[in-house]
Amino acid sequence: MTFYLTTPIYYPNARPHVGSAYTTIACDAIARYKRMCGYDVAFLTGTDEHGEKLQRAAEAAGMAPEKFVAEKRKLFKELWKTLGIGPFRDTAPPEDDVEASLSHQENGDDSAPGAAPPIDYRFVHTSQNPAHKKAVHWMIEQAKKYPLPYCARCDKYLEHGTRPATCSTCGGPVEHRRAIFSKRYEGRYCIHDEMYVSEGAEPVNCPNCGRPTELISEDNYFFRLSAFQERLLKHYEDHPEFVQPDFRMNEVKSFVKGGKDLVKGSLRDISVSRRRISWGIPWPGDPEQVVYVWYDALTSYLTGIGFEGDKRSKDFEKYWMGAEGPSKVVHMIGKDILRFHAVYWPAFLWAAGLPLPKTIFAHGWIYYEQDKMSKSKGNVVYPETVVKAFNEFGAPGNDALRYYLLRDTPFGLDGNFSYDGLVQRYNSDLANDLGNLASRTITMIHRYCDAVVPEPSGPLTALEAELKLDFFRSSYDEGAKVREASGYVEPIRQELDKFALNAAAFDLLTLISAVNGYLVKREPWKLAEFNAGQDRETLALALYTAADLLRTITVLLYPIAPASAARLWQQLGCEGRIEDQKLDDLKWGQLKPGTKVGKPEPIFPRLDKAKTLAKLHELAEEDRAAEQNLKESKVESEQKPGAPPADGQVPITDQKSQITNQQSSIANADAPKITIGDFAKIDLRVGTVLSAEPIPGATKLLKLQVDIGSEVRQVCAGIAEYYKPEDIVGMKIVLVANLAPRKLRGVESNGMIVAASVGEHGRPVLATFKEDVPNGARLK
């Protein structure tokens, strides 16, 4: 079985932050888990180094694009090394050594006999990569030849890849269209997201980032995406696992069904070349044009494992084509690039005659203290800060960061990062719960058993049998009845198979708590006061049980916190390497009695919260100062006085004062005018109030659950003095859906209810509707 996992091919226009690290850490955890399940795993990451945004960034920096992207690429490679992910081998060797990219290079595999081969970590980049250029050209040439039979009478495309003379439905003549054709493009383009937004000259903001788009008018090559609409929808229905989580699949279906063609309501054909820029792969046969950056970048998933078109490596045949048995290909991406992966990429692959990946999993964004990270706000978190600060206090910085990101963020939804939450989670889960369990178990074996795992004698008592039941799929006799349970180990594996990393980490903590609770009940320190008889046997049973289950916990911990799990594995004196353990073999009683345990050194030392937070903020401030100095030097040369920040974001001040200013502006008859672009930044959605309840200690606030179609939002609204909870349940309201989350009286609010202010006391009156409007409908 093979498992090919990819991160996004990152855009190297800036230093990678904790959001980039989140995706790569999650992928690394999944890759390690899959290897322990027996899979032959390949892991690909890399950098997408072409496009207009990078060309402009290089020009602003006064550098050649080649040098600019090479410097940024290095930052990504250094970060993965700092985070202990890899080592990666570069899949873009010099032009005279292309063969090296087509053969697997062994990296000193010293895995245990029977273990899966080591994870094949690969790094691909798109510029100065001859193998990648050949692959992109091949993809385009195949699309040029791909037949798309079309019946004008039925106004539909027939089975792709065939060349019928007549339509099987109406008997009329069939026109054979080309997947790639040329025409003049005029429309709006977002430079920041490298995305075509709309046709026509009318100004419009990018739906992804909210920035103004640019008008482009030039002759380009187009991909006939409209011909793939029905095929895409059928694939989504036949393969519900193709886009995950499920609500992301609903978004994709809605986009494809709704279409973007203003006339026919079908998918709009997309421009796949650019004439006005030079930084990219030249269009085959037309050097005045370069390949659209997304056609270029997505092909990296193929070239990263040895694909050059007609020339294909054994690794490509194995991992993508499944030549050596069952194979799975999974793309892990951020939610903002889902359209390119779930709509464009399948069509590009079909047009080239290649199979599709198994799953595209789109996760959410990582916010900083409920606010979107932005350099202009000075709230960007860099992983190096966390690792350095924790390491200075003797704590495992990498694993602390990994555990916090994976434990606190439901994979697929947006997550929140805060230094306070990071330290709190580390101290409570790792230092207190796991650290305490490991320390006292190994210490007691040293103290009471001469540092040797004792031999348990006699049958399990009900207490141990219950604990065994909690961990493993098993059954046992308790008097006249037989109890069966799935235990916790199997559900953790099921959660990891679904990429529910946070749920798996939570259940792992439950196991840790179970063993800690067992020791509290058994009280081996009291049993040790007596040196003979039943107490001595029970002591041996208790310490063996705790150590054996600690071994199980350590194996399950490894994908999430690999370095710390390896240290704990050594302290337990376990044989072999932890990364070579097979989860299928995980069972009760695997720790051999007589094993010599190591010195009980703390793996997760408890941190002084105040000192750690001070160090984190100190290092973060150093980062911000360095970034600000760089930004100011650029702003002075690039921006006119009064222009918005370079990244298009407006700094946010204190939220309370901001709301007050907004209210004052509304009340002021001479309030400044806004443009249609300003208004387009506000995402107003229709929602139904599902529930409403008072917030303890707050006289004016109600906590609402609002269904806005794609999700249910929790919102705090200051309307308790005028609306009873039962009066507004079922009411259709208007919600500001893209307002940054914030906490009111300790309750998180994800949006703001729209209301009029009536009378001299400003009584709120909720905006609602007389007609039936579906949840999620947008106000324009």
Side-chain angles (χ1 to χ4, degrees), residues 438-446 568 571-572 597-600:
S439 178
R440 66 178 175 177
T441 298
I442 296 174
T443 297
M444 286 190 290
I445 292 175
H446 264 267
L568 184 52
Q571 282 193 18
L572 285 169
V597 299
K599 185 178 180 181

Side-chain angles (χ1 to χ4, degrees), residues 333-351:
I333 60 170
K335 63 182 182 180
D336 53 323
I337 55 175
L338 178 59
R339 179 192 310 177
F340 306 105
H341 286 77
V343 182
Y344 295 4
W345 185 222
F348 294 164
L349 288 168
W350 279 328

